[in-house]
């Protein structure tokens, strides 16, 4: 470029344009064009400048260590003069300047330019004017920033409180979403349950973006005016927050509390990135303005109206699904609290951590933080935070429970030992059962001369009916039927290498309950028609048939398919076990947070304190059990668990029946069958009470009467429910026709539970009726076991001691059992129904009537 053209370019493009032609010509004559590659430092901070640079083309960036003066870090356009002030004032370079791309410069060495300055003092005057202009601009900018700061200060967010703590897949995914959101300027909807610090997630997005130096403010939508003047400003008046923000970030917290009149304007802001300042009534609408700020919306629920308007949606997961992160969160909160107060950091015991992981934290992170801080305060100088300190971390599901394994360590040791139940089963039960079957076949056939028959009817039935309210399906853990089934499985696998089939779960869930119901019906009829209670070989056949079913299913299917779905005794045990005051469960929080192998369910090798097992024989996960029906108390899960998650709890008897219970038709059918069985067992007494003349020595009349007796109690209960339903219908009908008249007292509308749900209210009465029946055998004949034992082998045991109760004592205990059962049935029905006593009167009268009838045939008969 020739010198005249250079002068014109300097006049038009640079800050030297105010000079007269003579000094401009002098400068133009000494200019030397140079090219510098990318990433080349043309100036280094705190060093003397070597030359004056005038940028012709290219991109530069500058950096300065002086953080108090942000004006030093600037960008450069073509025509920018570099080092003019430093050379004029003989200063060191104030910034480091680096080429981003290849750059073209005009360059004048510092010494040459200083000579020109000496000849033309006018150049110094230009610099003075430049500095004065810059000072005026800075003053104006400072005044603007001061006003801006005052406007934004009440809502300003200065920093993020913390990052996302934890290593769970939910935490990893949330961090990824934050990084993705920080990479662009799209609006974001962040929603989740209370206490999740969703506003902090928005803050993390802002400070992770390249606009982190811009301000970020948070405003609660509940305090916004219906006009939105705080956000949009007023036309010709006070500016709004959006204008003051510039390219900053606006967090609209609790969007669900926004005045309905304001929502359309916020939707417009999100959709078009424009807004209109507020005008007073009668004034024309103001011009539409473009919003430069980024909008982030925080809500407790997904907002359907807003969802379609935002660019990104982030759902913050609740703490209850991030149980893996609780350990890291607790350690983080402890570190924060102890560092802030300069105290020693306590250690959290494994038991305390397990309690926290078993709690669902409805208040999420805020509740956990408050819980940890309160625990530290309560612990005082203690070195550990124990389970007891976290007393508030107890779920409703775990209330009123006492973990017997913690209360009695010896019990845990026994239940984890080889004695329970393996050594008992294979060291005693397997041989005792075989001996018992042999004695039933070859020994005397009556109960007064065959100790095996006496044990089965006078001992087994009353003892285990009595144990159901205490230990649930405890019998199934030592049941000989399945012991022989397991032996069959082992032989089948070892000798024939047979691959056992997986369970047909869908078909078994659908039909298994009805199969065992039908099988139990046949057993009742067989027992009544052929007098099994006093016929040894037939009782042996019954036991062998059940054992054969277990063995056949075990040879075909893996684990205990027969026990879970098809065994009639198991079905009865599972039904009565619902009333038990003990339960085997696992802490869901620990299982979801810590466990990855599910050894209690699947089985596996030894891990930590968890022993090698084959997994739950019923394919039940202890953390997912809804009631005691599918748990046989074999304690396999207790032995397999390496995390001490499994609990054996003392609880209110049958608590699930009125809280979380799920009813099943086939269970109700079995319940009604067992109720009918009480009357069937007392058929002669029932005949005498009702004055019936049926000849029980004839098969078909006996069979017909037996079927009727099994059905009548069920029909009676259906009738009581029909009366209850009729009462509720009449009540609701009166409610519907009288609700319009204030002069008439309006009854409450009744929402009646289904028959299958309410039928479980009779369960204590069914158990009590069966126990009352077998008490006569247990207290009247069970104590004669020694003479009966000798009589079995043809010996005279007449002089041996016997322990039997007086008939009056037996009658008293039977009557007490029935009365208590009726009262418990009424109480349970009230709990399940959740209705006033007057509403459930028909069902209570039915329970009382059934109790009286049982009294007549069991106690009085």
């Amino acid at each position: 470029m020739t010198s005249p053209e250079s002068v014109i370019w300097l006049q038009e493009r640079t800050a030297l344009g105010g000079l007269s032609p003579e000094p401009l010509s002098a400068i133009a004559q000494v200019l030397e064009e140079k090219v510098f590659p990318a990433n080349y430092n043309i100036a280094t901070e705190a060093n003397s400048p070597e030359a004056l640079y005038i940028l012709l083309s290219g991109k530069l960036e500058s950096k300065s260590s002086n953080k108090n003066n942000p004006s030093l870090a600037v960008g450069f356009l073509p025509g920018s003069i570099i080092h003019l002030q430093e050379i004029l004032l003989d200063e060191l370079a104030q910034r480091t300047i680096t080429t981003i791309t290849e750059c073209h410069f005009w360059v004048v060495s510092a010494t040459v330019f200083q000579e020109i300055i000496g000849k033309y003092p006018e150049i110094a005057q230009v610099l003075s004017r430049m500095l004065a202009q810059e000072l005026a601009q800075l003053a104006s900018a400072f005044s603007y920033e001061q006003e801006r700061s005052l406007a934004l200060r009440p809502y300003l967010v200065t920093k993020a409180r913390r990052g996302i703590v934890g290593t769970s897949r939910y935490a990893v995914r949330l961090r990824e979403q934050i990084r993705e959101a920080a990479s662009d300027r799209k609006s974001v909807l962040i929603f989740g349950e209370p206490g999740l610090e969703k506003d902090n997630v928005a803050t993390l997005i802002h400070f992770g973006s390249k606009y982190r130096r811009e301000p970020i403010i948070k405003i609660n939508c509940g305090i916004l005016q219906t006009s939105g003047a705080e956000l949009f400003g007023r036309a010709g008046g006070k500016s709004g927050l959006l204008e003051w923000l510039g390219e900053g970030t606006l967090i609209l917290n609790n969007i669900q509390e926004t005045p309905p009149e304001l929502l359309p304007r916020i939707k417009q802001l999100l959709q078009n990135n424009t807004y209109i300042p507020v005008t007073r009534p009668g004034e024309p609408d103001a011009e539409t303005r473009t919003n430069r700020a980024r909008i982030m919306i925080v809500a407790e629920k997904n907002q359907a109206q807003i969802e379609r308007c935002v660019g990104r949606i982030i759902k913050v997961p609740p703490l209850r699904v991030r149980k893996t992160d609780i350990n890291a969160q607790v350690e983080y909160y402890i570190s924060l609290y102890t560092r802030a107060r300069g105290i020693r950091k306590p250690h959290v015991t494994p038991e305390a951590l397990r309690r926290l992981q078993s709690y669902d934290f409805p208040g999420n992170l805020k509740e956990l933080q408050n819980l940890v801080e309160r625990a530290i305060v309560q612990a005082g100088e203690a070195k550990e935070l124990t389970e007891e300190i976290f007393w508030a971390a107890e779920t409703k599901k775990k209330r009123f429970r006492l973990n017997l394994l913690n209360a009695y360590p010896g019990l845990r040791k026994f239940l984890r030992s080889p004695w329970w139940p393996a050594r008992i089963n294979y060291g005693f039960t397997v041989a005792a059962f075989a001996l018992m079957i042999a004695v039933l076949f070859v020994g005397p056939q009556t109960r007064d001369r065959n100790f095996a028959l006496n044990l089965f009817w006078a001992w087994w039935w009353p003892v285990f009916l009595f144990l159901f309210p205490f230990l649930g399906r405890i019998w199934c853990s030592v049941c000989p039927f399945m012991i022989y089934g397991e032996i069959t499985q082992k032989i089948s696998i070892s000798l024939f290498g047979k691959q056992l089939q997986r369970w047909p779960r869908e078909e078994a869930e659908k039909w298994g309950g009805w199969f065992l119901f039908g099988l139990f019906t046949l057993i009742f009829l067989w027992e009544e028609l052929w007098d099994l209670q006093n016929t040894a070989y037939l009782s042996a056949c019954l036991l062998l048939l059940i054992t054969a079913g277990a063995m056949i299913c075990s040879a075909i299917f893996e684990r205990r398919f027969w026990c879970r779905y098809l065994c009639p005794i198991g079905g009865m045990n599972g039904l009565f076990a619902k009333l038990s005051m003990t339960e085997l469960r696992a802490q869901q929080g620990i299982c979801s947070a810590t466990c990855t192998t599910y050894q209690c369910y699947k089985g596996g090798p030894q891990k930590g304190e968890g022993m090698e097992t084959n997994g739950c024989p019923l394919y039940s996960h202890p953390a997912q059990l809804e009631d005691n029906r599918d748990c046989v108390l074999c304690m396999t899960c207790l032995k397999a668990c390496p995390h001490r998650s499994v609990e054996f709890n003392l609880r209110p008897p049958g608590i699930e029946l009125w809280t979380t219970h799920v009813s099943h038709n086939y269970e109700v059918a079995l319940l009604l069958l067992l109720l009918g069985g009480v009357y069937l067992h007392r058929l002669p007494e029932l005949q005498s009470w009702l004055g019936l003349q049926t000849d029980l020595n004839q098969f078909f009349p006996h069979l017909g009467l037996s079927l009727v007796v099994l059905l009548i109690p069920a029909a009676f209960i259906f009738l009581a429910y029909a009366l209850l339903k009729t009462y509720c219908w009449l009540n609701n009908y009166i409610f519907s026709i009288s609700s319009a008249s204030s002069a008439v007292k309006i009854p409450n509308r009744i929402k009646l539970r289904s028959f299958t749900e309410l039928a479980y209210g009779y369960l204590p009465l069914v158990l009590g009726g069966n126990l009352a029946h077998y008490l006569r055998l247990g207290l009247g004949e069970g104590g004669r076991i020694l003479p009966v034992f000798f009589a079995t082998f043809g010996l005279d045991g007449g002089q041996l001691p016997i322990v039997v109760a007086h008939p009056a004592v037996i009658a008293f205990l039977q009557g007490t059992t029935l009365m208590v059962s009726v009262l418990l049935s009424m109480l349970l029905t009230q709990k399940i129904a959740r209705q006033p006593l007057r509403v459930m009167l028909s069902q209570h009268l039915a329970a009382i009537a059934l109790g009286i009838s049982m009294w007549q045939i069991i106690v009085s008969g």
Side-chain angles (χ1 to χ4, degrees):
M1 186 179 295
T2 62
S3 180
E5 292 173 341
S6 301
V7 171
I8 295 172
W9 197 92
L10 290 172
Q11 286 177 331
E12 294 178 350
R13 299 288 187 91
T14 70
L16 300 176
L19 294 175
S20 59
E22 188 175 353
L24 278 177
S25 298
I27 294 173
Q29 290 176 0
V30 296
L31 292 176
E32 180 183 356
E33 186 172 350
K34 290 187 178 181
V35 179
F36 296 101
N39 300 319
Y40 180 83
N41 287 343
I42 64 170
T44 304
E45 183 181 0
N47 288 335
S48 297
E50 297 179 355
L52 178 78
Y53 298 92
I54 301 176
L55 179 64
L56 297 175
S57 64
K59 293 183 179 180
L60 302 175
E61 68 174 0
S62 65
K63 297 178 181 178
S64 174
S65 59
N66 187 353
K67 303 300 182 183
N68 296 323
N69 188 359
S71 64
L72 295 177
V74 297
F76 298 90
L77 297 174
S80 297
I81 302 175
I82 301 171
H83 292 159
L84 176 60
Q85 177 180 332
E86 287 88 341
I87 295 174
L88 281 169
L89 301 178
D90 195 19
E91 294 178 346
L92 299 178
Q94 298 180 359
R95 56 177 75 88
T96 298
I97 302 175
T98 307
T99 59
I100 299 176
T101 62
E102 182 180 87
C103 295
H104 293 252
F105 290 93
W106 273 337
V107 182
V108 181
S109 68
T111 54
V112 172
F113 192 69
Q114 286 173 345
E115 291 176 1
I116 295 175
I117 293 171
K119 294 180 180 179
Y120 304 99
E122 184 183 349
I123 298 176
Q125 297 175 0
V126 170
L127 176 61
S128 299
R129 289 196 298 270
M130 287 174 55
L131 292 177
Q133 291 174 356
E134 287 182 10
L135 184 60
Q137 291 173 354
L138 286 174
S140 175
F142 178 76
S143 177
Y144 174 82
E145 287 297 331
Q146 192 175 29
E147 191 175 354
R148 181 190 193 195
S149 176
L150 288 174
L152 297 180
R153 185 179 299 166
Y155 314 103
L156 204 61
V157 179
T158 56
K159 62 179 180 179
R161 290 189 294 274
R162 63 184 62 87
I164 305 302
V165 178
T167 57
S168 68
R169 60 189 178 93
Y170 297 100
V172 172
R173 174 58 183 155
L174 186 56
R175 281 193 286 268
E176 290 176 356
Q177 290 177 310
I178 290 173
R179 281 195 294 269
E180 291 170 0
S183 65
D184 56 41
R185 294 281 288 174
K186 293 179 181 178
S187 55
V188 186
L189 169 62
I190 304 168
F191 73 96
E193 296 177 3
L196 287 173
E197 300 180 343
K198 301 176 288 295
D199 54 343
N200 188 59
V201 173
T203 308
L204 288 171
I205 294 173
H206 171 82
F207 286 110
S209 71
K210 62 181 180 180
Y211 294 90
R212 65 180 66 89
R213 295 185 182 277
E214 297 294 331
I216 174 173
I217 64 172
K218 178 177 70 174
I219 186 168
N220 196 322
C221 294
I223 67 171
L224 291 175
Q225 301 177 27
T226 56
S227 64
E230 303 99 320
L231 295 178
F232 310 121
R234 294 189 178 275
K238 185 178 180 181
S239 299
L241 292 174
L242 290 174
E243 185 175 346
W244 288 122
L245 264 178
E247 293 186 336
T249 299
L250 170 64
I251 302 175
L252 293 174
N253 198 28
N254 296 321
I255 192 68
Q256 67 275 4
E257 299 177 4
T258 304
E261 300 86 350
L262 187 56
L263 272 177
R265 304 193 67 181
I266 292 180
K267 289 174 64 177
Q268 177 189 350
L269 176 67
L270 293 169
Q271 287 176 323
N272 307 326
N273 215 27
T274 59
Y275 65 93
I276 301 174
V278 177
T279 56
R280 291 179 174 82
E283 293 182 354
D285 289 342
E287 293 184 359
T288 300
R289 297 184 183 181
T290 301
N291 169 53
R292 294 186 298 148
R294 184 177 193 179
I295 310 299
M296 297 194 194
I297 295 173
V298 174
E300 292 185 357
K301 293 181 180 179
N302 194 5
Q303 303 295 309
Q305 293 180 316
I306 302 297
E307 180 182 358
R308 295 183 292 271
C309 305
V310 297
R312 291 183 182 274
I313 298 176
I314 297 177
K315 180 181 180 182
V316 184
L319 188 57
R320 64 176 176 274
V321 303
R322 294 175 50 196
K323 297 295 181 71
T324 309
D325 299 334
I326 286 181
N327 188 12
Q329 288 280 4
V330 169
E331 292 296 329
Y332 177 76
Y333 291 140
I334 290 175
S335 298
L336 278 183
Y337 190 85
T338 53
R339 280 204 305 265
R341 287 156 181 79
I343 60 177
R344 183 169 53 185
K345 182 179 178 181
H347 169 68
V348 181
T349 65
E351 293 78 15
L353 182 61
R354 282 195 289 270
R355 165 165 281 197
L356 292 173
Q357 289 174 335
S358 67
Y359 182 51
D360 285 341
F361 288 99
N364 291 295
L365 294 174
K366 288 186 178 178
E367 183 179 3
L368 176 59
Q369 183 175 7
N370 293 336
L371 200 63
V372 169
E373 292 177 358
R374 184 169 63 242
I376 296 173
V377 172
Q378 290 179 337
E381 298 296 326
K383 297 180 180 180
E384 290 186 336
L385 301 182
T386 61
E387 181 181 9
E388 294 76 16
I389 294 177
F390 293 102
W391 55 271
E394 191 72 40
T395 62
K396 290 183 178 179
K397 191 174 180 181
K398 291 295 182 182
R399 287 177 186 170
F400 311 113
R401 262 76 167 182
L402 172 65
N403 186 0
L404 297 175
L405 301 180
N406 289 343
Y408 303 100
L411 177 62
R412 176 190 290 274
K413 184 177 180 182
F414 170 72
L415 294 177
R416 284 173 52 84
S417 72
W419 283 100
W420 185 262
R423 288 183 182 175
I424 295 175
N425 287 340
Y426 292 98
F428 170 75
T429 308
V430 67
F433 183 72
L435 175 63
M436 185 174 175
I437 294 296
V439 171
L440 288 173
F441 272 115
V442 303
Q445 293 299 295
T446 58
R447 199 164 59 244
D448 60 344
R449 297 185 61 79
N450 190 312
F451 82 90
L453 196 61
N454 181 280
L455 282 173
F456 181 43
W457 295 104
W459 282 84
W460 187 88
W461 278 100
V463 168
F464 280 98
L465 284 170
F466 178 77
L467 285 179
F468 282 133
F470 300 97
L471 295 172
R473 291 187 69 170
I474 190 69
W475 161 253
C476 294
S477 60
V478 294
C479 172
F481 309 141
M482 204 56 233
I483 297 174
Y484 280 91
E486 289 179 346
I487 292 173
T488 303
Q489 272 187 346
K490 293 175 182 177
I491 293 174
S492 176
I493 294 172
S494 61
L495 293 184
F496 306 108
K498 186 176 180 181
Q499 184 68 32
L500 299 177
Q501 297 182 22
R502 298 185 65 83
W503 292 1
R505 284 185 178 271
E506 186 174 348
E507 293 80 3
E509 292 285 352
K510 185 176 181 180
W511 301 109
W514 294 109
F515 174 84
L516 65 86
F517 167 78
L519 204 56
F520 219 118
T521 304
L522 294 176
I523 290 173
F524 269 152
L525 294 175
W526 189 16
E527 177 186 339
E528 174 61 30
L529 297 174
W530 277 274
D531 193 20
L532 260 66
Q533 295 187 28
N534 206 38
T535 309
Y537 81 94
L538 290 179
S539 294
C541 290
L542 172 62
L543 295 176
L544 286 179
L545 283 173
I546 299 175
T547 306
M551 294 174 70
I552 292 170
C553 286
S554 298
I556 300 172
F557 300 108
E558 57 187 3
R559 306 201 188 187
R560 296 190 182 183
F561 180 75
W562 171 264
C563 290
R564 175 150 185 173
Y565 293 113
L566 305 178
C567 177
I569 304 298
M572 178 192 70
N573 293 353
L575 187 62
F576 287 146
K578 294 173 184 283
L579 296 173
S580 175
M581 64 176 63
T582 56
E583 64 179 9
L584 187 78
R585 298 290 187 271
Q587 301 180 43
Q588 291 183 344
I590 297 175
C591 295
S592 60
T594 310
C595 185
T596 57
T597 59
Y598 305 106
Q599 289 181 243
C600 62
Y601 177 78
K602 298 178 180 179
Q606 180 177 353
K607 181 180 179 181
E609 69 173 41
M611 303 176 183
E612 180 179 0
T613 69
N614 293 322
C616 176
L618 295 192
Y619 270 129
S620 296
H621 194 293
Q624 305 301 324
L625 285 173
E626 295 179 349
D627 53 40
N628 289 341
R629 184 188 67 175
D630 295 327
C631 178
V632 296
L633 298 178
C634 63
M635 299 299 166
T636 300
C637 53
L638 176 64
K639 296 176 181 180
C641 180
H643 310 296
R644 291 212 171 193
S645 174
V646 179
E647 301 175 332
F648 186 54
N649 294 321
L650 189 66
R651 63 169 193 175
I655 189 172
E656 283 107 352
L657 290 172
W658 70 84
T659 53
T660 60
H661 185 254
V662 178
S663 60
H664 299 281
N665 291 336
Y666 57 82
E667 281 189 340
V668 173
L670 180 61
L671 183 151
L672 298 176
L673 177 67
L674 292 170
L675 178 61
V678 177
Y679 293 86
L680 185 62
H681 291 145
R682 293 289 181 156
L683 193 54
E685 291 85 351
L686 184 62
Q687 267 194 303
S688 174
W689 181 46
L690 298 177
L692 301 177
Q693 302 299 323
T694 306
D695 186 2
L696 298 182
N697 293 319
Q698 297 183 23
F699 180 80
F700 287 106
H702 194 178
L703 174 62
L705 183 60
S706 298
L707 290 172
V708 170
V709 169
L710 285 176
L711 292 174
I712 284 180
F716 189 75
I717 290 176
F718 274 107
L719 177 61
Y721 184 76
L723 293 173
L724 173 60
K725 199 167 184 180
T726 302
Y727 172 82
C728 294
W729 180 84
L730 288 172
N731 181 88
N732 294 341
Y733 178 73
I734 295 172
F735 176 87
S736 61
I737 64 175
S738 62
S739 57
S741 174
S742 59
V744 181
K745 185 178 180 181
I746 304 174
N748 293 324
R749 182 178 290 276
I750 299 173
K751 186 177 181 182
L752 185 62
R753 290 186 178 269
S754 66
F755 174 78
T756 54
E757 291 178 295
L758 289 178
Y760 286 92
Y762 293 99
L763 193 54
L765 182 60
V766 176
L767 177 59
N770 279 279
L771 180 58
H773 165 71
Y774 281 105
L775 277 176
R776 177 180 58 83
L777 293 178
L779 299 177
E781 297 184 18
R784 302 179 185 274
I785 188 67
L786 289 179
V788 173
F789 179 83
F790 275 78
T792 303
F793 300 100
L795 303 174
D796 183 14
Q799 304 302 318
L800 293 173
I802 61 174
V803 181
V804 296
H806 190 277
V809 175
I810 296 175
F812 171 78
L813 292 176
Q814 288 176 322
T816 302
T817 301
L818 289 174
M819 286 191 295
V820 172
S821 299
V822 170
L823 291 174
L824 290 178
S825 286
M826 294 171 63
L827 178 62
L828 181 57
T829 298
Q830 284 295 133
K831 285 282 193 179
I832 295 173
R834 297 176 185 172
Q835 295 291 345
L837 186 64
R838 61 177 176 80
V839 176
M840 305 306 300
L841 188 60
S842 62
Q843 186 137 342
H844 295 331
L845 290 175
I848 293 172
L850 290 170
I852 292 173
S853 63
M854 290 183 192
W855 184 292
Q856 289 295 325
I857 62 176
I858 295 175
V859 181
S860 301

